[in-house]
Amino acid sequence: MTLYEEVRAALRESGFRPRKRLGQNFLIHERVVESILRLLDLRPDEEVLEIGPGLGFLTRRLVEAANRVYAVEVDDLLVERLSRSPLGSDARLRLVHGDILKISLDDLLPVKKVKLAANLPYSISTPVFFRLLEGREHFSTLVLMVQKEVADRIASGPGTKSYGTLSVWCQIHGRIVDKVSVAPEAFFPRPKVRSTVLKIALFPAPRLAPEDHSVLRELLRVAFGQRRKTLGNTMTAWSRRGRDEVEGFLRSHDIDPKRRGETLTIDEFITLTKALVEFGPRPERTDC
């Protein structure tokens, strides 16, 4: 039986219908499943966190390959179905009914690092991505399926239209080492957009000290919030310093005040953030 046939059979048997508000598009392409497993490169002694096991097609392959699988599913009907399936009684699977944005990773995961496999709906991909990076000490590798637009934003470099907060934040924490393009035909129901699977290898430690992350988040908000304005203009309003002082500060770090934020490299963002810790004052707002 193909994965597509399994989905159809499961829906008929349970009366379940994919919920659009939860972004439920079930992976039915075996080659994409194989690609995800290749990117994860699991050893028998490794453990993995899966976000959104759905009908369990990838989950059962993870259970076969890994020592333990932690599967977090928000949909109560899918949790019930997985619990009643053969997977539900497998000692290698810990099925958790919960929202990945709310559950405690410290309570769920072991002390040693695990790998991550996730198929993220567009509506929550950005907050989940940030949440995972906040809990980066739990992970060695992230393998994420996201909408192509989101993947482009994560992978982009300076001076491109897609370059932004997601790009910088990813490259502070790790690097993209592989990716796989996924067509709409790989899902049921079929979405209207293409997807991309990204493999992100996390650095042993972020390139910027965690105590300075709130300053970086604010700098990114300023740099990318008004793309048509120069850094001299946006940082003058933000820092509550005089224009001459701000422009002198930027020049002292080899950055032309007339440049726009999206032209800064990762190294320049790191340098500016470290300098801003001393430069201040800063507004209290720290959202992205």
mmCIF file with all atom_site columns, all heavy atoms in Angstrom, residues 16-25 73-78 99 119-124:
data_model
loop_
_atom_site.group_PDB
_atom_site.id
_atom_site.type_symbol
_atom_site.label_atom_id
_atom_site.label_alt_id
_atom_site.label_comp_id
_atom_site.label_asym_id
_atom_site.label_entity_id
_atom_site.label_seq_id
_atom_site.pdbx_PDB_ins_code
_atom_site.Cartn_x
_atom_site.Cartn_y
_atom_site.Cartn_z
_atom_site.occupancy
_atom_site.B_iso_or_equiv
_atom_site.pdbx_formal_charge
_atom_site.auth_seq_id
_atom_site.auth_comp_id
_atom_site.auth_asym_id
_atom_site.auth_atom_id
_atom_site.pdbx_PDB_model_num
ATOM 1   N N   . PHE A 1 16  ? -11.759 11.299 9.974  1.00 0.00 ? 16  PHE A N   1
ATOM 2   C CA  . PHE A 1 16  ? -10.934 12.485 10.197 1.00 0.00 ? 16  PHE A CA  1
ATOM 3   C C   . PHE A 1 16  ? -10.771 13.283 8.911  1.00 0.00 ? 16  PHE A C   1
ATOM 4   O O   . PHE A 1 16  ? -10.633 12.713 7.831  1.00 0.00 ? 16  PHE A O   1
ATOM 5   C CB  . PHE A 1 16  ? -9.562  12.064 10.730 1.00 0.00 ? 16  PHE A CB  1
ATOM 6   C CG  . PHE A 1 16  ? -8.609  13.204 10.939 1.00 0.00 ? 16  PHE A CG  1
ATOM 7   C CD1 . PHE A 1 16  ? -8.663  13.968 12.089 1.00 0.00 ? 16  PHE A CD1 1
ATOM 8   C CD2 . PHE A 1 16  ? -7.649  13.514 9.986  1.00 0.00 ? 16  PHE A CD2 1
ATOM 9   C CE1 . PHE A 1 16  ? -7.777  15.016 12.288 1.00 0.00 ? 16  PHE A CE1 1
ATOM 10  C CE2 . PHE A 1 16  ? -6.760  14.555 10.171 1.00 0.00 ? 16  PHE A CE2 1
ATOM 11  C CZ  . PHE A 1 16  ? -6.825  15.311 11.327 1.00 0.00 ? 16  PHE A CZ  1
ATOM 12  N N   . ARG A 1 17  ? -10.781 14.595 9.024  1.00 0.00 ? 17  ARG A N   1
ATOM 13  C CA  . ARG A 1 17  ? -10.527 15.473 7.890  1.00 0.00 ? 17  ARG A CA  1
ATOM 14  C C   . ARG A 1 17  ? -9.388  16.431 8.246  1.00 0.00 ? 17  ARG A C   1
ATOM 15  O O   . ARG A 1 17  ? -9.396  17.014 9.335  1.00 0.00 ? 17  ARG A O   1
ATOM 16  C CB  . ARG A 1 17  ? -11.781 16.280 7.523  1.00 0.00 ? 17  ARG A CB  1
ATOM 17  C CG  . ARG A 1 17  ? -12.897 15.425 6.931  1.00 0.00 ? 17  ARG A CG  1
ATOM 18  C CD  . ARG A 1 17  ? -12.499 14.868 5.572  1.00 0.00 ? 17  ARG A CD  1
ATOM 19  N NE  . ARG A 1 17  ? -13.524 13.991 5.000  1.00 0.00 ? 17  ARG A NE  1
ATOM 20  C CZ  . ARG A 1 17  ? -13.583 12.682 5.168  1.00 0.00 ? 17  ARG A CZ  1
ATOM 21  N NH1 . ARG A 1 17  ? -12.663 12.079 5.931  1.00 0.00 ? 17  ARG A NH1 1
ATOM 22  N NH2 . ARG A 1 17  ? -14.531 11.958 4.612  1.00 0.00 ? 17  ARG A NH2 1
ATOM 23  N N   . PRO A 1 18  ? -8.395  16.571 7.364  1.00 0.00 ? 18  PRO A N   1
ATOM 24  C CA  . PRO A 1 18  ? -7.291  17.490 7.647  1.00 0.00 ? 18  PRO A CA  1
ATOM 25  C C   . PRO A 1 18  ? -7.791  18.891 7.964  1.00 0.00 ? 18  PRO A C   1
ATOM 26  O O   . PRO A 1 18  ? -8.688  19.400 7.286  1.00 0.00 ? 18  PRO A O   1
ATOM 27  C CB  . PRO A 1 18  ? -6.481  17.464 6.342  1.00 0.00 ? 18  PRO A CB  1
ATOM 28  C CG  . PRO A 1 18  ? -6.803  16.140 5.734  1.00 0.00 ? 18  PRO A CG  1
ATOM 29  C CD  . PRO A 1 18  ? -8.241  15.886 6.074  1.00 0.00 ? 18  PRO A CD  1
ATOM 30  N N   . ARG A 1 19  ? -7.221  19.483 8.967  1.00 0.00 ? 19  ARG A N   1
ATOM 31  C CA  . ARG A 1 19  ? -7.659  20.805 9.430  1.00 0.00 ? 19  ARG A CA  1
ATOM 32  C C   . ARG A 1 19  ? -6.755  21.891 8.846  1.00 0.00 ? 19  ARG A C   1
ATOM 33  O O   . ARG A 1 19  ? -5.554  21.946 9.139  1.00 0.00 ? 19  ARG A O   1
ATOM 34  C CB  . ARG A 1 19  ? -7.652  20.868 10.953 1.00 0.00 ? 19  ARG A CB  1
ATOM 35  C CG  . ARG A 1 19  ? -8.488  19.765 11.595 1.00 0.00 ? 19  ARG A CG  1
ATOM 36  C CD  . ARG A 1 19  ? -8.547  19.922 13.084 1.00 0.00 ? 19  ARG A CD  1
ATOM 37  N NE  . ARG A 1 19  ? -9.146  18.755 13.717 1.00 0.00 ? 19  ARG A NE  1
ATOM 38  C CZ  . ARG A 1 19  ? -9.450  18.686 15.005 1.00 0.00 ? 19  ARG A CZ  1
ATOM 39  N NH1 . ARG A 1 19  ? -9.202  19.722 15.791 1.00 0.00 ? 19  ARG A NH1 1
ATOM 40  N NH2 . ARG A 1 19  ? -9.986  17.590 15.515 1.00 0.00 ? 19  ARG A NH2 1
ATOM 41  N N   . LYS A 1 20  ? -7.359  22.742 8.068  1.00 0.00 ? 20  LYS A N   1
ATOM 42  C CA  . LYS A 1 20  ? -6.598  23.785 7.391  1.00 0.00 ? 20  LYS A CA  1
ATOM 43  C C   . LYS A 1 20  ? -5.961  24.741 8.386  1.00 0.00 ? 20  LYS A C   1
ATOM 44  O O   . LYS A 1 20  ? -4.828  25.197 8.203  1.00 0.00 ? 20  LYS A O   1
ATOM 45  C CB  . LYS A 1 20  ? -7.512  24.560 6.431  1.00 0.00 ? 20  LYS A CB  1
ATOM 46  C CG  . LYS A 1 20  ? -6.776  25.545 5.538  1.00 0.00 ? 20  LYS A CG  1
ATOM 47  C CD  . LYS A 1 20  ? -7.715  26.169 4.526  1.00 0.00 ? 20  LYS A CD  1
ATOM 48  C CE  . LYS A 1 20  ? -6.977  27.128 3.609  1.00 0.00 ? 20  LYS A CE  1
ATOM 49  N NZ  . LYS A 1 20  ? -7.882  27.734 2.601  1.00 0.00 ? 20  LYS A NZ  1
ATOM 50  N N   . ARG A 1 21  ? -6.661  25.032 9.466  1.00 0.00 ? 21  ARG A N   1
ATOM 51  C CA  . ARG A 1 21  ? -6.136  26.002 10.444 1.00 0.00 ? 21  ARG A CA  1
ATOM 52  C C   . ARG A 1 21  ? -4.874  25.482 11.139 1.00 0.00 ? 21  ARG A C   1
ATOM 53  O O   . ARG A 1 21  ? -4.072  26.259 11.656 1.00 0.00 ? 21  ARG A O   1
ATOM 54  C CB  . ARG A 1 21  ? -7.200  26.341 11.489 1.00 0.00 ? 21  ARG A CB  1
ATOM 55  C CG  . ARG A 1 21  ? -7.582  25.206 12.409 1.00 0.00 ? 21  ARG A CG  1
ATOM 56  C CD  . ARG A 1 21  ? -8.617  25.637 13.426 1.00 0.00 ? 21  ARG A CD  1
ATOM 57  N NE  . ARG A 1 21  ? -8.990  24.567 14.329 1.00 0.00 ? 21  ARG A NE  1
ATOM 58  C CZ  . ARG A 1 21  ? -8.294  24.252 15.422 1.00 0.00 ? 21  ARG A CZ  1
ATOM 59  N NH1 . ARG A 1 21  ? -7.200  24.932 15.733 1.00 0.00 ? 21  ARG A NH1 1
ATOM 60  N NH2 . ARG A 1 21  ? -8.686  23.256 16.194 1.00 0.00 ? 21  ARG A NH2 1
ATOM 61  N N   . LEU A 1 22  ? -4.695  24.160 11.140 1.00 0.00 ? 22  LEU A N   1
ATOM 62  C CA  . LEU A 1 22  ? -3.494  23.568 11.724 1.00 0.00 ? 22  LEU A CA  1
ATOM 63  C C   . LEU A 1 22  ? -2.431  23.266 10.672 1.00 0.00 ? 22  LEU A C   1
ATOM 64  O O   . LEU A 1 22  ? -1.379  22.724 10.979 1.00 0.00 ? 22  LEU A O   1
ATOM 65  C CB  . LEU A 1 22  ? -3.843  22.279 12.480 1.00 0.00 ? 22  LEU A CB  1
ATOM 66  C CG  . LEU A 1 22  ? -4.722  22.439 13.723 1.00 0.00 ? 22  LEU A CG  1
ATOM 67  C CD1 . LEU A 1 22  ? -4.996  21.080 14.349 1.00 0.00 ? 22  LEU A CD1 1
ATOM 68  C CD2 . LEU A 1 22  ? -4.076  23.375 14.743 1.00 0.00 ? 22  LEU A CD2 1
ATOM 69  N N   . GLY A 1 23  ? -2.723  23.627 9.420  1.00 0.00 ? 23  GLY A N   1
ATOM 70  C CA  . GLY A 1 23  ? -1.766  23.390 8.345  1.00 0.00 ? 23  GLY A CA  1
ATOM 71  C C   . GLY A 1 23  ? -1.479  21.925 8.117  1.00 0.00 ? 23  GLY A C   1
ATOM 72  O O   . GLY A 1 23  ? -0.341  21.539 7.850  1.00 0.00 ? 23  GLY A O   1
ATOM 73  N N   . GLN A 1 24  ? -2.515  21.090 8.213  1.00 0.00 ? 24  GLN A N   1
ATOM 74  C CA  . GLN A 1 24  ? -2.320  19.639 8.101  1.00 0.00 ? 24  GLN A CA  1
ATOM 75  C C   . GLN A 1 24  ? -2.277  19.189 6.643  1.00 0.00 ? 24  GLN A C   1
ATOM 76  O O   . GLN A 1 24  ? -3.300  19.080 5.978  1.00 0.00 ? 24  GLN A O   1
ATOM 77  C CB  . GLN A 1 24  ? -3.429  18.909 8.861  1.00 0.00 ? 24  GLN A CB  1
ATOM 78  C CG  . GLN A 1 24  ? -3.296  19.068 10.370 1.00 0.00 ? 24  GLN A CG  1
ATOM 79  C CD  . GLN A 1 24  ? -4.433  18.412 11.125 1.00 0.00 ? 24  GLN A CD  1
ATOM 80  O OE1 . GLN A 1 24  ? -5.538  18.239 10.600 1.00 0.00 ? 24  GLN A OE1 1
ATOM 81  N NE2 . GLN A 1 24  ? -4.188  18.069 12.371 1.00 0.00 ? 24  GLN A NE2 1
ATOM 82  N N   . ASN A 1 25  ? -1.074  18.959 6.167  1.00 0.00 ? 25  ASN A N   1
ATOM 83  C CA  . ASN A 1 25  ? -0.830  18.383 4.839  1.00 0.00 ? 25  ASN A CA  1
ATOM 84  C C   . ASN A 1 25  ? 0.091   17.189 5.055  1.00 0.00 ? 25  ASN A C   1
ATOM 85  O O   . ASN A 1 25  ? 1.250   17.358 5.428  1.00 0.00 ? 25  ASN A O   1
ATOM 86  C CB  . ASN A 1 25  ? -0.181  19.405 3.904  1.00 0.00 ? 25  ASN A CB  1
ATOM 87  C CG  . ASN A 1 25  ? -1.032  20.644 3.716  1.00 0.00 ? 25  ASN A CG  1
ATOM 88  O OD1 . ASN A 1 25  ? -0.827  21.648 4.416  1.00 0.00 ? 25  ASN A OD1 1
ATOM 89  N ND2 . ASN A 1 25  ? -1.962  20.599 2.801  1.00 0.00 ? 25  ASN A ND2 1
ATOM 90  N N   . GLU A 1 73  ? 2.533   16.120 19.164 1.00 0.00 ? 73  GLU A N   1
ATOM 91  C CA  . GLU A 1 73  ? 1.399   16.343 18.269 1.00 0.00 ? 73  GLU A CA  1
ATOM 92  C C   . GLU A 1 73  ? 0.326   17.151 18.990 1.00 0.00 ? 73  GLU A C   1
ATOM 93  O O   . GLU A 1 73  ? -0.071  16.812 20.109 1.00 0.00 ? 73  GLU A O   1
ATOM 94  C CB  . GLU A 1 73  ? 0.818   15.000 17.808 1.00 0.00 ? 73  GLU A CB  1
ATOM 95  C CG  . GLU A 1 73  ? -0.428  15.105 16.949 1.00 0.00 ? 73  GLU A CG  1
ATOM 96  C CD  . GLU A 1 73  ? -0.233  15.945 15.693 1.00 0.00 ? 73  GLU A CD  1
ATOM 97  O OE1 . GLU A 1 73  ? 0.645   15.577 14.873 1.00 0.00 ? 73  GLU A OE1 1
ATOM 98  O OE2 . GLU A 1 73  ? -0.937  16.959 15.557 1.00 0.00 ? 73  GLU A OE2 1
ATOM 99  N N   . VAL A 1 74  ? -0.162  18.210 18.351 1.00 0.00 ? 74  VAL A N   1
ATOM 100 C CA  . VAL A 1 74  ? -1.142  19.085 18.980 1.00 0.00 ? 74  VAL A CA  1
ATOM 101 C C   . VAL A 1 74  ? -2.578  18.621 18.764 1.00 0.00 ? 74  VAL A C   1
ATOM 102 O O   . VAL A 1 74  ? -3.462  18.935 19.564 1.00 0.00 ? 74  VAL A O   1
ATOM 103 C CB  . VAL A 1 74  ? -0.964  20.540 18.461 1.00 0.00 ? 74  VAL A CB  1
ATOM 104 C CG1 . VAL A 1 74  ? -1.403  20.648 17.009 1.00 0.00 ? 74  VAL A CG1 1
ATOM 105 C CG2 . VAL A 1 74  ? -1.706  21.539 19.339 1.00 0.00 ? 74  VAL A CG2 1
ATOM 106 N N   . ASP A 1 75  ? -2.826  17.858 17.693 1.00 0.00 ? 75  ASP A N   1
ATOM 107 C CA  . ASP A 1 75  ? -4.193  17.457 17.347 1.00 0.00 ? 75  ASP A CA  1
ATOM 108 C C   . ASP A 1 75  ? -4.623  16.244 18.183 1.00 0.00 ? 75  ASP A C   1
ATOM 109 O O   . ASP A 1 75  ? -4.010  15.181 18.122 1.00 0.00 ? 75  ASP A O   1
ATOM 110 C CB  . ASP A 1 75  ? -4.261  17.121 15.853 1.00 0.00 ? 75  ASP A CB  1
ATOM 111 C CG  . ASP A 1 75  ? -5.690  16.939 15.367 1.00 0.00 ? 75  ASP A CG  1
ATOM 112 O OD1 . ASP A 1 75  ? -6.358  16.006 15.837 1.00 0.00 ? 75  ASP A OD1 1
ATOM 113 O OD2 . ASP A 1 75  ? -6.132  17.739 14.522 1.00 0.00 ? 75  ASP A OD2 1
ATOM 114 N N   . ASP A 1 76  ? -5.704  16.404 18.953 1.00 0.00 ? 76  ASP A N   1
ATOM 115 C CA  . ASP A 1 76  ? -6.130  15.332 19.855 1.00 0.00 ? 76  ASP A CA  1
ATOM 116 C C   . ASP A 1 76  ? -6.583  14.083 19.110 1.00 0.00 ? 76  ASP A C   1
ATOM 117 O O   . ASP A 1 76  ? -6.354  12.953 19.567 1.00 0.00 ? 76  ASP A O   1
ATOM 118 C CB  . ASP A 1 76  ? -7.238  15.818 20.798 1.00 0.00 ? 76  ASP A CB  1
ATOM 119 C CG  . ASP A 1 76  ? -8.395  16.477 20.065 1.00 0.00 ? 76  ASP A CG  1
ATOM 120 O OD1 . ASP A 1 76  ? -8.276  16.733 18.858 1.00 0.00 ? 76  ASP A OD1 1
ATOM 121 O OD2 . ASP A 1 76  ? -9.420  16.742 20.714 1.00 0.00 ? 76  ASP A OD2 1
ATOM 122 N N   . LEU A 1 77  ? -7.217  14.234 17.930 1.00 0.00 ? 77  LEU A N   1
ATOM 123 C CA  . LEU A 1 77  ? -7.668  13.081 17.170 1.00 0.00 ? 77  LEU A CA  1
ATOM 124 C C   . LEU A 1 77  ? -6.491  12.272 16.625 1.00 0.00 ? 77  LEU A C   1
ATOM 125 O O   . LEU A 1 77  ? -6.513  11.039 16.616 1.00 0.00 ? 77  LEU A O   1
ATOM 126 C CB  . LEU A 1 77  ? -8.577  13.524 16.023 1.00 0.00 ? 77  LEU A CB  1
ATOM 127 C CG  . LEU A 1 77  ? -9.906  14.173 16.431 1.00 0.00 ? 77  LEU A CG  1
ATOM 128 C CD1 . LEU A 1 77  ? -10.675 14.628 15.203 1.00 0.00 ? 77  LEU A CD1 1
ATOM 129 C CD2 . LEU A 1 77  ? -10.740 13.204 17.258 1.00 0.00 ? 77  LEU A CD2 1
ATOM 130 N N   . LEU A 1 78  ? -5.456  12.971 16.176 1.00 0.00 ? 78  LEU A N   1
ATOM 131 C CA  . LEU A 1 78  ? -4.278  12.277 15.672 1.00 0.00 ? 78  LEU A CA  1
ATOM 132 C C   . LEU A 1 78  ? -3.517  11.584 16.802 1.00 0.00 ? 78  LEU A C   1
ATOM 133 O O   . LEU A 1 78  ? -2.977  10.489 16.626 1.00 0.00 ? 78  LEU A O   1
ATOM 134 C CB  . LEU A 1 78  ? -3.359  13.250 14.931 1.00 0.00 ? 78  LEU A CB  1
ATOM 135 C CG  . LEU A 1 78  ? -3.892  13.788 13.596 1.00 0.00 ? 78  LEU A CG  1
ATOM 136 C CD1 . LEU A 1 78  ? -2.927  14.803 13.009 1.00 0.00 ? 78  LEU A CD1 1
ATOM 137 C CD2 . LEU A 1 78  ? -4.132  12.652 12.607 1.00 0.00 ? 78  LEU A CD2 1
ATOM 138 N N   . ASP A 1 99  ? 1.469   21.418 22.503 1.00 0.00 ? 99  ASP A N   1
ATOM 139 C CA  . ASP A 1 99  ? 1.878   22.464 21.562 1.00 0.00 ? 99  ASP A CA  1
ATOM 140 C C   . ASP A 1 99  ? 3.362   22.710 21.739 1.00 0.00 ? 99  ASP A C   1
ATOM 141 O O   . ASP A 1 99  ? 3.820   23.038 22.846 1.00 0.00 ? 99  ASP A O   1
ATOM 142 C CB  . ASP A 1 99  ? 1.073   23.737 21.852 1.00 0.00 ? 99  ASP A CB  1
ATOM 143 C CG  . ASP A 1 99  ? 1.329   24.857 20.865 1.00 0.00 ? 99  ASP A CG  1
ATOM 144 O OD1 . ASP A 1 99  ? 2.365   24.839 20.181 1.00 0.00 ? 99  ASP A OD1 1
ATOM 145 O OD2 . ASP A 1 99  ? 0.487   25.777 20.788 1.00 0.00 ? 99  ASP A OD2 1
ATOM 146 N N   . ASN A 1 119 ? 7.896   19.027 10.392 1.00 0.00 ? 119 ASN A N   1
ATOM 147 C CA  . ASN A 1 119 ? 7.162   19.536 9.237  1.00 0.00 ? 119 ASN A CA  1
ATOM 148 C C   . ASN A 1 119 ? 6.302   20.679 9.757  1.00 0.00 ? 119 ASN A C   1
ATOM 149 O O   . ASN A 1 119 ? 5.273   20.452 10.389 1.00 0.00 ? 119 ASN A O   1
ATOM 150 C CB  . ASN A 1 119 ? 6.295   18.433 8.621  1.00 0.00 ? 119 ASN A CB  1
ATOM 151 C CG  . ASN A 1 119 ? 5.508   18.911 7.410  1.00 0.00 ? 119 ASN A CG  1
ATOM 152 O OD1 . ASN A 1 119 ? 5.681   20.036 6.940  1.00 0.00 ? 119 ASN A OD1 1
ATOM 153 N ND2 . ASN A 1 119 ? 4.622   18.071 6.906  1.00 0.00 ? 119 ASN A ND2 1
ATOM 154 N N   . LEU A 1 120 ? 6.756   21.916 9.535  1.00 0.00 ? 120 LEU A N   1
ATOM 155 C CA  . LEU A 1 120 ? 6.148   23.070 10.185 1.00 0.00 ? 120 LEU A CA  1
ATOM 156 C C   . LEU A 1 120 ? 5.148   23.785 9.276  1.00 0.00 ? 120 LEU A C   1
ATOM 157 O O   . LEU A 1 120 ? 5.513   24.213 8.174  1.00 0.00 ? 120 LEU A O   1
ATOM 158 C CB  . LEU A 1 120 ? 7.237   24.069 10.612 1.00 0.00 ? 120 LEU A CB  1
ATOM 159 C CG  . LEU A 1 120 ? 8.294   23.545 11.581 1.00 0.00 ? 120 LEU A CG  1
ATOM 160 C CD1 . LEU A 1 120 ? 9.287   24.646 11.908 1.00 0.00 ? 120 LEU A CD1 1
ATOM 161 C CD2 . LEU A 1 120 ? 7.661   22.998 12.851 1.00 0.00 ? 120 LEU A CD2 1
ATOM 162 N N   . PRO A 1 121 ? 3.909   23.950 9.724  1.00 0.00 ? 121 PRO A N   1
ATOM 163 C CA  . PRO A 1 121 ? 2.947   24.748 8.974  1.00 0.00 ? 121 PRO A CA  1
ATOM 164 C C   . PRO A 1 121 ? 3.434   26.190 8.860  1.00 0.00 ? 121 PRO A C   1
ATOM 165 O O   . PRO A 1 121 ? 4.114   26.706 9.764  1.00 0.00 ? 121 PRO A O   1
ATOM 166 C CB  . PRO A 1 121 ? 1.675   24.667 9.828  1.00 0.00 ? 121 PRO A CB  1
ATOM 167 C CG  . PRO A 1 121 ? 1.865   23.477 10.707 1.00 0.00 ? 121 PRO A CG  1
ATOM 168 C CD  . PRO A 1 121 ? 3.333   23.373 10.950 1.00 0.00 ? 121 PRO A CD  1
ATOM 169 N N   . TYR A 1 122 ? 3.083   26.839 7.769  1.00 0.00 ? 122 TYR A N   1
ATOM 170 C CA  . TYR A 1 122 ? 3.550   28.209 7.516  1.00 0.00 ? 122 TYR A CA  1
ATOM 171 C C   . TYR A 1 122 ? 3.182   29.148 8.657  1.00 0.00 ? 122 TYR A C   1
ATOM 172 O O   . TYR A 1 122 ? 3.983   30.005 9.051  1.00 0.00 ? 122 TYR A O   1
ATOM 173 C CB  . TYR A 1 122 ? 2.954   28.712 6.210  1.00 0.00 ? 122 TYR A CB  1
ATOM 174 C CG  . TYR A 1 122 ? 3.344   30.144 5.880  1.00 0.00 ? 122 TYR A CG  1
ATOM 175 C CD1 . TYR A 1 122 ? 4.653   30.446 5.493  1.00 0.00 ? 122 TYR A CD1 1
ATOM 176 C CD2 . TYR A 1 122 ? 2.425   31.187 5.953  1.00 0.00 ? 122 TYR A CD2 1
ATOM 177 C CE1 . TYR A 1 122 ? 5.026   31.743 5.191  1.00 0.00 ? 122 TYR A CE1 1
ATOM 178 C CE2 . TYR A 1 122 ? 2.794   32.487 5.653  1.00 0.00 ? 122 TYR A CE2 1
ATOM 179 C CZ  . TYR A 1 122 ? 4.092   32.764 5.267  1.00 0.00 ? 122 TYR A CZ  1
ATOM 180 O OH  . TYR A 1 122 ? 4.448   34.050 4.984  1.00 0.00 ? 122 TYR A OH  1
ATOM 181 N N   . SER A 1 123 ? 1.993   28.965 9.241  1.00 0.00 ? 123 SER A N   1
ATOM 182 C CA  . SER A 1 123 ? 1.486   29.907 10.244 1.00 0.00 ? 123 SER A CA  1
ATOM 183 C C   . SER A 1 123 ? 2.309   29.931 11.519 1.00 0.00 ? 123 SER A C   1
ATOM 184 O O   . SER A 1 123 ? 2.304   30.930 12.248 1.00 0.00 ? 123 SER A O   1
ATOM 185 C CB  . SER A 1 123 ? 0.027   29.589 10.582 1.00 0.00 ? 123 SER A CB  1
ATOM 186 O OG  . SER A 1 123 ? -0.080  28.275 11.108 1.00 0.00 ? 123 SER A OG  1
ATOM 187 N N   . ILE A 1 124 ? 3.030   28.848 11.815 1.00 0.00 ? 124 ILE A N   1
ATOM 188 C CA  . ILE A 1 124 ? 3.804   28.809 13.061 1.00 0.00 ? 124 ILE A CA  1
ATOM 189 C C   . ILE A 1 124 ? 5.290   28.569 12.833 1.00 0.00 ? 124 ILE A C   1
ATOM 190 O O   . ILE A 1 124 ? 6.046   28.445 13.791 1.00 0.00 ? 124 ILE A O   1
ATOM 191 C CB  . ILE A 1 124 ? 3.267   27.736 14.028 1.00 0.00 ? 124 ILE A CB  1
ATOM 192 C CG1 . ILE A 1 124 ? 3.448   26.331 13.433 1.00 0.00 ? 124 ILE A CG1 1
ATOM 193 C CG2 . ILE A 1 124 ? 1.827   28.011 14.408 1.00 0.00 ? 124 ILE A CG2 1
ATOM 194 C CD1 . ILE A 1 124 ? 3.246   25.223 14.445 1.00 0.00 ? 124 ILE A CD1 1
#
